[in-house]
Amino acid sequence: MLEQILRLRKELNEHNYRYYVLNDPLISDYDFDRKMRELQELEAAYPQYDDPNSPSHRVGSDLTGEFATVAHRYPMLSLSNTYSPDEMHEFCDRVAREVGETEYVCELKFDGTAISVTYENGRLVRAVTRGDGTAGDDVTANVRTIRSIPLELRGDDYPSFFEIRGEILMPHASFDRLNAEREEAGEAPFANPRNAAAGTLKQQSSAVVARRGLDNFMYYLVGDDLPYASHWESLQKAKEWGFKISDRMELCRSTECIDDYIRRVDRLRETLPYDTDGVVIKVNEYALQRKLGYTAKSPRWAVAYKFKAEQALTRLNTVDFQVGRTGAVTPVANLDPVQLAGTTVKRASLHNAEQIALLDIRLHDMVYVEKGGEIIPKIVGVELSRRPADSTPFEYITHCPECGTLLVRYEGEAKHYCPNQSHCPPQIVGRIIHFIARRAMDIEGLGEETVALLYEQGLIRNIADLYDLTAGELAPLPRLGEKSAENIVTSIRRSAEVPFPRVLFALGIRFVGETTAKNLAARFGSLDAIAAATREQLLEADEVGEKIADSVIQYLSDEDNLKIIARLRKAGVQFSGGKREGLSDSLGGRTFVISGTFAAHSRDQLKELIELHGGKNLAAVSSNTDFLLAGANMGPAKLAKAQKLGVEIIDEERFLAMIGEGDGAGAASSPEKENNPVQGSLF
Ligand code: IVH
């Protein structure tokens, strides 16, 4: 059986490589999924053959745990920046003075977040963020979900131990999708793909990471005694081993050649599916790199050339204030249309009152607009020399432009909010649109325009009113008619079957996105239990912090909201379900690190068991660890660290005894387990 599992893993790794690295798939998604399911089934049946590098783990797990801090074996330095061709030529002149005329590798400067990945005997063992350059976060579980990073290397001529460094990126397509989802869920969108990539890599749940579509490029091989003479050679080798190495790398022997490369990349980068913010120029030969050496912060054999963000100067005519579903007020500038980085810009974000005051932006000013990583262009400055003589400082609004309510500022937030959640029209319409969305109540046939119309005509004032709508009321509306009206009403009725976690998400409680809703439902099982929970108890749910807990409490103490919920209940909407039952509290908050492979359970199963019995999983051994659950082939470093810190080391049998399953009968065949629906659904 092991043979079949290994064969499937190899095959799936190959298909992943062809799809995510080469962009040249050999089989259909359907066939890929079929093979993956086959592997998953075999792995479930033979947990003793579990392997953290199995392609089945690319989907991630909800139990990544906290990140351990790991010291970098080789520091992660940054690059010194140059901003003009002259500055870049100075670098080349210095190199020439010190080591003579030489060859350079020119590369794209990827705008993501840096990662260092360690491979031992061709297998990915660790991935660490840059951190402060000397130590970073161990994000191995998250990085394993990125399909374009090989878990096992191809060929057999790689060094037995090396680190490879590169950039984790979020391609524009993934970024747009993620932000659309976040906005729909009332969560703040990421400002740019770089922040989104960094934020995603630090997600506690690797399952979330797996869904977000991260990608990577590797650009630097590090190790003692690498058997290659140059950077270029190393990266060509790395490409053969299955790493994603940019095809845009070029060799240059003159500053003219480098200038030309920079010019071409500056034109090209608009068309790339990910962000680049410059080029990197590296001395190719390792012998010369060693001669040039390092400063405290950066190598003396490489330099970055940063592109200037494109700017345009135009007139600010008026400012609109948009009120979103959550009541957040966003000032938007209306500009004289101007060409910028390939598109015509007419509107730009002004962010918030503070930003306007800081830049002293005034009506009728000539302002500089810039397209950074952000989707919406922003105003970055004012051309004071062209300010009209009669100009006066901009006065920010004090009242909601939609409903006239006095605006408020919440602690730690730069934006103003309209607190009139129940009666401010764009907030109500926005909430209804959020409620009916596909991933929420999935009510079909009602678009944004129809919802706005129903609101204007006084047919709906809140989400509960939807359930009182009749086909007779809907049919006369423009573009509807009897058939559509019937369908809408049926779809509304059917939404009563939507499971509670999605209902909780649909309510549109601030900061409660899909994942938070699921986590709250898993912990409490019903809206009543959530309402009865104390702030401290709410904080115990996965990924629920103070901001979320306070928002939930506030939502559930609002009379208007409670009335709406009571009406939804009457309409049959689900307000319970989705709870993940705990089995006992026998582990009572004690912390575990799992390492190695086990006879009767996979590591994910053991992690689940730890949680279900009230324990906590940690990703790495530290002074906070109570137990190291040690299996076969565990890493010697982990063992040594545990011994040094006096962490108790236990085996699988001892662990099962701790949770009352250690009867030696083999946990997988215990009859209670088979009858237990919770366990049945988990394993
Ligand atoms: S080489 C010792 N190459 O830029 C040299 N870095 O400011 C290590 N970056 O932290 C870096 N593209 O995150 C290198 N082609 C490239 C790069 C690159 C982007 C990032 C990297 C680094 C930062 C330095």
Side-chain angles (χ1 to χ4, degrees), residues 75-81 107-115 130 165-167 219-220 277 280 282 294 298-299 301-302 304:
M76 278 183 89
L77 301 175
S78 55
L79 294 167
S80 56
N81 286 326
E107 304 174 7
L108 302 186
K109 188 170 190 305
F110 303 102
D111 197 8
T113 184
I115 194 78
R130 179 167 188 274
R165 293 185 176 165
E167 206 82 350
Y219 46 61
Y220 186 33
D277 60 344
V280 182
K282 299 172 181 169
Y294 298 83
S298 52
W301 44 261

Side-chain angles (χ1 to χ4, degrees), residues 450-461 473 476-478:
T450 318
V451 170
L453 195 66
L454 287 171
Y455 175 78
E456 274 165 34
Q457 305 215 341
L459 286 168
I460 49 174
R461 287 269 162 236
E473 285 169 327
L477 294 177

Side-chain angles (χ1 to χ4, degrees), residues 77-355:
L77 301 175
S78 55
L79 294 167
S80 56
N81 286 326
T82 58
Y83 295 92
S84 67
D86 281 352
E87 277 182 83
M88 198 269 300
H89 295 162
E90 276 170 31
F91 163 80
C92 296
D93 291 346
R94 177 175 59 73
V95 168
R97 272 199 312 278
E98 294 186 29
V99 299
E101 294 295 326
T102 181
E103 191 170 48
Y104 295 95
V105 182
C106 301
E107 304 174 7
L108 302 186
K109 188 170 190 305
F110 303 102
D111 197 8
T113 184
I115 194 78
S116 185
V117 194
T118 305
Y119 286 81
E120 265 176 49
N121 300 318
R123 291 166 56 82
L124 185 159
V125 291
R126 196 174 314 107
V128 183
T129 61
R130 179 167 188 274
D132 63 1
T134 57
D137 279 336
D138 183 333
V139 289
T140 312
N142 287 347
V143 166
R144 279 208 172 96
T145 68
I146 303 172
R147 269 47 169 205
S148 51
I149 295 186
L151 301 174
E152 296 191 1
L153 302 184
R154 311 163 66 78
D156 53 12
D157 62 344
Y158 39 75
S160 57
F161 182 96
F162 68 92
E163 277 182 51
I164 190 160
R165 293 185 176 165
E167 206 82 350
I168 305 284
L169 301 166
M170 185 170 287
H172 296 148
S174 307
F175 176 72
D176 293 345
R177 193 187 58 214
L178 173 64
N179 265 358
E181 284 172 12
R182 287 177 74 87
E183 295 207 41
E184 202 188 314
E187 292 163 337
F190 284 110
N192 52 49
R194 180 185 350 105
N195 292 4
T200 300
L201 212 53
K202 296 285 184 72
Q203 275 283 322
Q204 289 294 324
S205 159
S206 58
V208 172
V209 182
R211 286 196 296 271
R212 287 204 183 162
L214 290 176
D215 202 346
N216 89 103
F217 278 108
M218 291 294 164
Y219 46 61
Y220 186 33
L221 198 67
V222 206
D224 298 328
D225 310 320
L226 292 175
Y228 316 107
S230 70
H231 173 62
W232 179 272
E233 200 187 334
S234 292
L235 291 191
Q236 294 312 316
K237 278 287 172 193
K239 193 184 259 183
E240 288 172 26
W241 305 331
F243 289 105
K244 191 160 174 176
I245 308 290
S246 170
D247 286 334
R248 316 261 178 203
M249 274 177 20
E250 289 180 21
L251 287 166
C252 272
R253 295 196 68 95
S254 67
T255 48
E256 291 75 30
C257 174
I258 298 174
D259 287 346
D260 179 57
Y261 180 81
I262 292 175
R263 262 196 306 274
R264 279 184 289 122
V265 172
D266 201 5
R267 275 201 304 272
L268 169 87
R269 66 196 190 107
E270 284 247 322
T271 63
L272 295 175
Y274 42 79
D275 280 353
T276 51
D277 60 344
V279 304
V280 182
I281 297 130
K282 299 172 181 169
V283 169
N284 189 22
E285 263 180 73
Y286 284 150
L288 300 184
Q289 286 190 1
R290 277 193 289 273
K291 243 182 170 170
L292 288 158
Y294 298 83
T295 69
K297 282 201 220 123
S298 52
R300 296 180 72 249
W301 44 261
V303 75
Y305 174 91
K306 300 265 276 188
F307 293 125
K308 277 192 258 334
E310 240 186 280
Q311 289 188 351
L313 190 63
T314 189
R315 189 172 306 281
L316 167 62
N317 294 319
T318 54
V319 175
D320 289 339
F321 294 90
Q322 292 176 347
V323 183
R325 158 168 84 79
T326 58
V329 176
T330 307
V332 179
N334 295 306
L335 309 164
D336 274 350
V338 62
Q339 280 296 115
L340 177 62
T343 54
T344 309
V345 174
K346 289 186 219 134
R347 284 159 74 78
S349 168
L350 283 163
H351 296 284
N352 52 55
E354 243 164 64
Q355 192 68 15

